[in-house]
mmCIF file with all atom_site columns, all heavy atoms in Angstrom:
data_model
loop_
_atom_site.group_PDB
_atom_site.id
_atom_site.type_symbol
_atom_site.label_atom_id
_atom_site.label_alt_id
_atom_site.label_comp_id
_atom_site.label_asym_id
_atom_site.label_entity_id
_atom_site.label_seq_id
_atom_site.pdbx_PDB_ins_code
_atom_site.Cartn_x
_atom_site.Cartn_y
_atom_site.Cartn_z
_atom_site.occupancy
_atom_site.B_iso_or_equiv
_atom_site.pdbx_formal_charge
_atom_site.auth_seq_id
_atom_site.auth_comp_id
_atom_site.auth_asym_id
_atom_site.auth_atom_id
_atom_site.pdbx_PDB_model_num
ATOM 1   N N   . ILE A 1 33  ? 163.206 149.065 51.835 1.00 0.00 ? 258 ILE A N   1
ATOM 2   C CA  . ILE A 1 33  ? 164.629 149.063 51.438 1.00 0.00 ? 258 ILE A CA  1
ATOM 3   C C   . ILE A 1 33  ? 164.808 148.241 50.164 1.00 0.00 ? 258 ILE A C   1
ATOM 4   O O   . ILE A 1 33  ? 165.596 148.608 49.288 1.00 0.00 ? 258 ILE A O   1
ATOM 5   C CB  . ILE A 1 33  ? 165.512 148.548 52.588 1.00 0.00 ? 258 ILE A CB  1
ATOM 6   C CG1 . ILE A 1 33  ? 165.412 149.515 53.775 1.00 0.00 ? 258 ILE A CG1 1
ATOM 7   C CG2 . ILE A 1 33  ? 166.959 148.397 52.142 1.00 0.00 ? 258 ILE A CG2 1
ATOM 8   C CD1 . ILE A 1 33  ? 166.048 149.017 55.048 1.00 0.00 ? 258 ILE A CD1 1
ATOM 9   N N   . ALA A 1 34  ? 164.067 147.156 50.020 1.00 0.00 ? 259 ALA A N   1
ATOM 10  C CA  . ALA A 1 34  ? 164.156 146.336 48.801 1.00 0.00 ? 259 ALA A CA  1
ATOM 11  C C   . ALA A 1 34  ? 163.790 147.160 47.573 1.00 0.00 ? 259 ALA A C   1
ATOM 12  O O   . ALA A 1 34  ? 164.433 147.066 46.528 1.00 0.00 ? 259 ALA A O   1
ATOM 13  C CB  . ALA A 1 34  ? 163.250 145.110 48.914 1.00 0.00 ? 259 ALA A CB  1
ATOM 14  N N   . LEU A 1 37  ? 166.498 149.350 46.476 1.00 0.00 ? 262 LEU A N   1
ATOM 15  C CA  . LEU A 1 37  ? 167.582 148.594 45.852 1.00 0.00 ? 262 LEU A CA  1
ATOM 16  C C   . LEU A 1 37  ? 167.112 147.912 44.558 1.00 0.00 ? 262 LEU A C   1
ATOM 17  O O   . LEU A 1 37  ? 167.553 146.820 44.220 1.00 0.00 ? 262 LEU A O   1
ATOM 18  C CB  . LEU A 1 37  ? 168.128 147.548 46.837 1.00 0.00 ? 262 LEU A CB  1
ATOM 19  C CG  . LEU A 1 37  ? 168.785 148.112 48.094 1.00 0.00 ? 262 LEU A CG  1
ATOM 20  C CD1 . LEU A 1 37  ? 169.158 146.995 49.064 1.00 0.00 ? 262 LEU A CD1 1
ATOM 21  C CD2 . LEU A 1 37  ? 170.002 148.946 47.733 1.00 0.00 ? 262 LEU A CD2 1
ATOM 22  N N   . ASN A 1 38  ? 166.226 148.595 43.826 1.00 0.00 ? 263 ASN A N   1
ATOM 23  C CA  . ASN A 1 38  ? 165.710 148.100 42.538 1.00 0.00 ? 263 ASN A CA  1
ATOM 24  C C   . ASN A 1 38  ? 165.107 146.707 42.661 1.00 0.00 ? 263 ASN A C   1
ATOM 25  O O   . ASN A 1 38  ? 165.291 145.866 41.792 1.00 0.00 ? 263 ASN A O   1
ATOM 26  C CB  . ASN A 1 38  ? 166.817 148.105 41.472 1.00 0.00 ? 263 ASN A CB  1
ATOM 27  C CG  . ASN A 1 38  ? 167.313 149.490 41.192 1.00 0.00 ? 263 ASN A CG  1
ATOM 28  O OD1 . ASN A 1 38  ? 166.537 150.433 41.112 1.00 0.00 ? 263 ASN A OD1 1
ATOM 29  N ND2 . ASN A 1 38  ? 168.630 149.629 41.064 1.00 0.00 ? 263 ASN A ND2 1
ATOM 30  N N   . GLY A 1 39  ? 164.359 146.497 43.738 1.00 0.00 ? 264 GLY A N   1
ATOM 31  C CA  . GLY A 1 39  ? 163.765 145.186 43.953 1.00 0.00 ? 264 GLY A CA  1
ATOM 32  C C   . GLY A 1 39  ? 162.322 145.270 44.381 1.00 0.00 ? 264 GLY A C   1
ATOM 33  O O   . GLY A 1 39  ? 161.622 146.237 44.076 1.00 0.00 ? 264 GLY A O   1
ATOM 34  N N   . TYR A 1 40  ? 161.897 144.272 45.099 1.00 0.00 ? 265 TYR A N   1
ATOM 35  C CA  . TYR A 1 40  ? 160.525 144.176 45.566 1.00 0.00 ? 265 TYR A CA  1
ATOM 36  C C   . TYR A 1 40  ? 160.497 143.317 46.836 1.00 0.00 ? 265 TYR A C   1
ATOM 37  O O   . TYR A 1 40  ? 161.434 142.583 47.130 1.00 0.00 ? 265 TYR A O   1
ATOM 38  C CB  . TYR A 1 40  ? 159.619 143.562 44.494 1.00 0.00 ? 265 TYR A CB  1
ATOM 39  C CG  . TYR A 1 40  ? 160.091 142.206 44.027 1.00 0.00 ? 265 TYR A CG  1
ATOM 40  C CD1 . TYR A 1 40  ? 159.627 141.035 44.641 1.00 0.00 ? 265 TYR A CD1 1
ATOM 41  C CD2 . TYR A 1 40  ? 161.009 142.078 42.989 1.00 0.00 ? 265 TYR A CD2 1
ATOM 42  C CE1 . TYR A 1 40  ? 160.063 139.796 44.229 1.00 0.00 ? 265 TYR A CE1 1
ATOM 43  C CE2 . TYR A 1 40  ? 161.445 140.841 42.566 1.00 0.00 ? 265 TYR A CE2 1
ATOM 44  C CZ  . TYR A 1 40  ? 160.975 139.694 43.191 1.00 0.00 ? 265 TYR A CZ  1
ATOM 45  O OH  . TYR A 1 40  ? 161.410 138.475 42.789 1.00 0.00 ? 265 TYR A OH  1
ATOM 46  N N   . TYR A 1 58  ? 160.728 138.153 47.468 1.00 0.00 ? 283 TYR A N   1
ATOM 47  C CA  . TYR A 1 58  ? 161.604 139.317 47.485 1.00 0.00 ? 283 TYR A CA  1
ATOM 48  C C   . TYR A 1 58  ? 162.551 139.292 46.290 1.00 0.00 ? 283 TYR A C   1
ATOM 49  O O   . TYR A 1 58  ? 162.754 138.256 45.660 1.00 0.00 ? 283 TYR A O   1
ATOM 50  C CB  . TYR A 1 58  ? 162.436 139.344 48.778 1.00 0.00 ? 283 TYR A CB  1
ATOM 51  C CG  . TYR A 1 58  ? 163.417 138.186 48.829 1.00 0.00 ? 283 TYR A CG  1
ATOM 52  C CD1 . TYR A 1 58  ? 164.701 138.311 48.291 1.00 0.00 ? 283 TYR A CD1 1
ATOM 53  C CD2 . TYR A 1 58  ? 163.058 136.961 49.362 1.00 0.00 ? 283 TYR A CD2 1
ATOM 54  C CE1 . TYR A 1 58  ? 165.584 137.248 48.298 1.00 0.00 ? 283 TYR A CE1 1
ATOM 55  C CE2 . TYR A 1 58  ? 163.926 135.893 49.379 1.00 0.00 ? 283 TYR A CE2 1
ATOM 56  C CZ  . TYR A 1 58  ? 165.190 136.048 48.845 1.00 0.00 ? 283 TYR A CZ  1
ATOM 57  O OH  . TYR A 1 58  ? 166.062 134.990 48.833 1.00 0.00 ? 283 TYR A OH  1
ATOM 58  N N   . GLY A 1 59  ? 163.130 140.428 46.021 1.00 0.00 ? 284 GLY A N   1
ATOM 59  C CA  . GLY A 1 59  ? 164.192 140.560 45.041 1.00 0.00 ? 284 GLY A CA  1
ATOM 60  C C   . GLY A 1 59  ? 164.945 141.850 45.321 1.00 0.00 ? 284 GLY A C   1
ATOM 61  O O   . GLY A 1 59  ? 164.321 142.860 45.643 1.00 0.00 ? 284 GLY A O   1
ATOM 62  N N   . ILE A 1 60  ? 166.269 141.807 45.248 1.00 0.00 ? 285 ILE A N   1
ATOM 63  C CA  . ILE A 1 60  ? 167.079 143.017 45.448 1.00 0.00 ? 285 ILE A CA  1
ATOM 64  C C   . ILE A 1 60  ? 168.312 142.978 44.555 1.00 0.00 ? 285 ILE A C   1
ATOM 65  O O   . ILE A 1 60  ? 168.805 141.914 44.190 1.00 0.00 ? 285 ILE A O   1
ATOM 66  C CB  . ILE A 1 60  ? 167.541 143.221 46.916 1.00 0.00 ? 285 ILE A CB  1
ATOM 67  C CG1 . ILE A 1 60  ? 168.444 142.087 47.377 1.00 0.00 ? 285 ILE A CG1 1
ATOM 68  C CG2 . ILE A 1 60  ? 166.381 143.412 47.838 1.00 0.00 ? 285 ILE A CG2 1
ATOM 69  C CD1 . ILE A 1 60  ? 169.160 142.372 48.680 1.00 0.00 ? 285 ILE A CD1 1
ATOM 70  N N   . GLN A 1 61  ? 168.773 144.166 44.203 1.00 0.00 ? 286 GLN A N   1
ATOM 71  C CA  . GLN A 1 61  ? 170.070 144.341 43.570 1.00 0.00 ? 286 GLN A CA  1
ATOM 72  C C   . GLN A 1 61  ? 171.031 144.594 44.731 1.00 0.00 ? 286 GLN A C   1
ATOM 73  O O   . GLN A 1 61  ? 170.915 145.610 45.420 1.00 0.00 ? 286 GLN A O   1
ATOM 74  C CB  . GLN A 1 61  ? 170.030 145.547 42.615 1.00 0.00 ? 286 GLN A CB  1
ATOM 75  C CG  . GLN A 1 61  ? 171.225 145.687 41.741 1.00 0.00 ? 286 GLN A CG  1
ATOM 76  C CD  . GLN A 1 61  ? 171.213 144.646 40.631 1.00 0.00 ? 286 GLN A CD  1
ATOM 77  O OE1 . GLN A 1 61  ? 170.171 144.322 40.087 1.00 0.00 ? 286 GLN A OE1 1
ATOM 78  N NE2 . GLN A 1 61  ? 172.368 144.117 40.313 1.00 0.00 ? 286 GLN A NE2 1
ATOM 79  N N   . VAL A 1 62  ? 171.936 143.669 45.006 1.00 0.00 ? 287 VAL A N   1
ATOM 80  C CA  . VAL A 1 62  ? 172.803 143.749 46.182 1.00 0.00 ? 287 VAL A CA  1
ATOM 81  C C   . VAL A 1 62  ? 173.906 144.787 45.945 1.00 0.00 ? 287 VAL A C   1
ATOM 82  O O   . VAL A 1 62  ? 174.659 144.682 44.979 1.00 0.00 ? 287 VAL A O   1
ATOM 83  C CB  . VAL A 1 62  ? 173.434 142.373 46.502 1.00 0.00 ? 287 VAL A CB  1
ATOM 84  C CG1 . VAL A 1 62  ? 174.308 142.455 47.747 1.00 0.00 ? 287 VAL A CG1 1
ATOM 85  C CG2 . VAL A 1 62  ? 172.350 141.317 46.648 1.00 0.00 ? 287 VAL A CG2 1
ATOM 86  N N   . PRO A 1 63  ? 174.016 145.814 46.824 1.00 0.00 ? 288 PRO A N   1
ATOM 87  C CA  . PRO A 1 63  ? 175.092 146.790 46.681 1.00 0.00 ? 288 PRO A CA  1
ATOM 88  C C   . PRO A 1 63  ? 176.461 146.130 46.842 1.00 0.00 ? 288 PRO A C   1
ATOM 89  O O   . PRO A 1 63  ? 176.625 145.208 47.650 1.00 0.00 ? 288 PRO A O   1
ATOM 90  C CB  . PRO A 1 63  ? 174.840 147.785 47.816 1.00 0.00 ? 288 PRO A CB  1
ATOM 91  C CG  . PRO A 1 63  ? 173.421 147.575 48.222 1.00 0.00 ? 288 PRO A CG  1
ATOM 92  C CD  . PRO A 1 63  ? 173.116 146.148 47.936 1.00 0.00 ? 288 PRO A CD  1
ATOM 93  N N   . LEU A 1 74  ? 175.177 141.808 41.624 1.00 0.00 ? 299 LEU A N   1
ATOM 94  C CA  . LEU A 1 74  ? 174.379 140.678 42.083 1.00 0.00 ? 299 LEU A CA  1
ATOM 95  C C   . LEU A 1 74  ? 172.905 141.010 42.127 1.00 0.00 ? 299 LEU A C   1
ATOM 96  O O   . LEU A 1 74  ? 172.515 142.105 42.534 1.00 0.00 ? 299 LEU A O   1
ATOM 97  C CB  . LEU A 1 74  ? 174.798 140.258 43.500 1.00 0.00 ? 299 LEU A CB  1
ATOM 98  C CG  . LEU A 1 74  ? 176.199 139.747 43.697 1.00 0.00 ? 299 LEU A CG  1
ATOM 99  C CD1 . LEU A 1 74  ? 176.433 139.436 45.150 1.00 0.00 ? 299 LEU A CD1 1
ATOM 100 C CD2 . LEU A 1 74  ? 176.429 138.515 42.851 1.00 0.00 ? 299 LEU A CD2 1
ATOM 101 N N   . ARG A 1 75  ? 172.098 140.050 41.757 1.00 0.00 ? 300 ARG A N   1
ATOM 102 C CA  . ARG A 1 75  ? 170.645 140.135 41.888 1.00 0.00 ? 300 ARG A CA  1
ATOM 103 C C   . ARG A 1 75  ? 170.217 138.895 42.666 1.00 0.00 ? 300 ARG A C   1
ATOM 104 O O   . ARG A 1 75  ? 170.545 137.777 42.280 1.00 0.00 ? 300 ARG A O   1
ATOM 105 C CB  . ARG A 1 75  ? 169.984 140.155 40.511 1.00 0.00 ? 300 ARG A CB  1
ATOM 106 C CG  . ARG A 1 75  ? 168.490 140.156 40.555 1.00 0.00 ? 300 ARG A CG  1
ATOM 107 C CD  . ARG A 1 75  ? 167.975 141.555 40.489 1.00 0.00 ? 300 ARG A CD  1
ATOM 108 N NE  . ARG A 1 75  ? 166.520 141.571 40.593 1.00 0.00 ? 300 ARG A NE  1
ATOM 109 C CZ  . ARG A 1 75  ? 165.858 142.575 41.085 1.00 0.00 ? 300 ARG A CZ  1
ATOM 110 N NH1 . ARG A 1 75  ? 166.500 143.649 41.499 1.00 0.00 ? 300 ARG A NH1 1
ATOM 111 N NH2 . ARG A 1 75  ? 164.564 142.544 41.166 1.00 0.00 ? 300 ARG A NH2 1
ATOM 112 N N   . ASN A 1 76  ? 169.520 139.100 43.773 1.00 0.00 ? 301 ASN A N   1
ATOM 113 C CA  . ASN A 1 76  ? 169.071 137.998 44.611 1.00 0.00 ? 301 ASN A CA  1
ATOM 114 C C   . ASN A 1 76  ? 167.540 138.023 44.663 1.00 0.00 ? 301 ASN A C   1
ATOM 115 O O   . ASN A 1 76  ? 166.962 139.055 44.987 1.00 0.00 ? 301 ASN A O   1
ATOM 116 C CB  . ASN A 1 76  ? 169.669 138.139 46.010 1.00 0.00 ? 301 ASN A CB  1
ATOM 117 C CG  . ASN A 1 76  ? 169.556 136.891 46.829 1.00 0.00 ? 301 ASN A CG  1
ATOM 118 O OD1 . ASN A 1 76  ? 168.950 135.913 46.411 1.00 0.00 ? 301 ASN A OD1 1
ATOM 119 N ND2 . ASN A 1 76  ? 170.149 136.910 47.999 1.00 0.00 ? 301 ASN A ND2 1
ATOM 120 N N   . GLU A 1 77  ? 166.908 136.909 44.331 1.00 0.00 ? 302 GLU A N   1
ATOM 121 C CA  . GLU A 1 77  ? 165.449 136.801 44.338 1.00 0.00 ? 302 GLU A CA  1
ATOM 122 C C   . GLU A 1 77  ? 165.057 135.469 44.959 1.00 0.00 ? 302 GLU A C   1
ATOM 123 O O   . GLU A 1 77  ? 165.798 134.496 44.866 1.00 0.00 ? 302 GLU A O   1
ATOM 124 C CB  . GLU A 1 77  ? 164.883 136.870 42.917 1.00 0.00 ? 302 GLU A CB  1
ATOM 125 C CG  . GLU A 1 77  ? 165.130 138.185 42.239 1.00 0.00 ? 302 GLU A CG  1
ATOM 126 C CD  . GLU A 1 77  ? 164.565 138.240 40.831 1.00 0.00 ? 302 GLU A CD  1
ATOM 127 O OE1 . GLU A 1 77  ? 164.725 137.243 40.088 1.00 0.00 ? 302 GLU A OE1 1
ATOM 128 O OE2 . GLU A 1 77  ? 163.950 139.256 40.496 1.00 0.00 ? 302 GLU A OE2 1
ATOM 129 N N   . PHE A 1 175 ? 170.941 139.732 58.119 1.00 0.00 ? 400 PHE A N   1
ATOM 130 C CA  . PHE A 1 175 ? 170.020 140.584 57.378 1.00 0.00 ? 400 PHE A CA  1
ATOM 131 C C   . PHE A 1 175 ? 169.223 141.465 58.323 1.00 0.00 ? 400 PHE A C   1
ATOM 132 O O   . PHE A 1 175 ? 168.260 141.002 58.926 1.00 0.00 ? 400 PHE A O   1
ATOM 133 C CB  . PHE A 1 175 ? 169.071 139.719 56.540 1.00 0.00 ? 400 PHE A CB  1
ATOM 134 C CG  . PHE A 1 175 ? 168.193 140.502 55.618 1.00 0.00 ? 400 PHE A CG  1
ATOM 135 C CD1 . PHE A 1 175 ? 168.704 141.036 54.446 1.00 0.00 ? 400 PHE A CD1 1
ATOM 136 C CD2 . PHE A 1 175 ? 166.868 140.730 55.927 1.00 0.00 ? 400 PHE A CD2 1
ATOM 137 C CE1 . PHE A 1 175 ? 167.894 141.767 53.587 1.00 0.00 ? 400 PHE A CE1 1
ATOM 138 C CE2 . PHE A 1 175 ? 166.053 141.465 55.077 1.00 0.00 ? 400 PHE A CE2 1
ATOM 139 C CZ  . PHE A 1 175 ? 166.579 141.985 53.907 1.00 0.00 ? 400 PHE A CZ  1
#
Side-chain angles (χ1 to χ4, degrees):
I258 296 170
L262 296 174
N263 297 319
Y265 56 92
Y283 67 89
I285 63 168
Q286 190 74 38
V287 181
L299 297 178
R300 176 94 183 152
N301 195 355
E302 296 180 317
F400 187 76

